[in-house]
Amino acid sequence: MSFWDIIGLIFAGLVVGALARLFLRGRQDISMIVTILLGIAGSLAGAWLWRWLGGSDTFGIDWIAFFIGIAVAALLITIYVAIRGRARGR
């Protein structure tokens, strides 16, 4: 993995994580670093899920994998906030 792959992955995580938080209702009290990490995880899981469902590899931006990544990141953020909220409640 090259330096530019890592930079691209961080940028994709930032965009996917931010869009996922935008689509969620209410306030998510999480840091930008956590948003990026969950966005990266959502992007990777979305791309993997799309390929697993039979999606083909495209040149450029694969919009279906991108939107699946946003949905997965939103789910991960929701789970993270719920677990973190429960841990704070103790």
Side-chain angles (χ1 to χ4, degrees), residues 25-81:
R25 298 184 69 179
R27 184 165 190 248
Q28 302 86 35
D29 190 25
I30 60 175
S31 69
M32 185 59 72
I33 298 298
V34 174
T35 300
I36 291 171
L37 292 175
L38 293 175
I40 290 170
S43 292
L44 293 174
W48 177 82
L49 183 61
W50 175 237
R51 299 233 179 2
W52 183 74
L53 291 172
S56 61
D57 194 18
T58 61
F59 296 103
I61 297 174
D62 190 346
W63 290 104
I64 296 173
F66 179 73
F67 289 122
I68 293 171
I70 292 171
V72 171
L75 178 66
L76 292 174
I77 290 170
T78 301
I79 292 169
Y80 178 82
V81 169

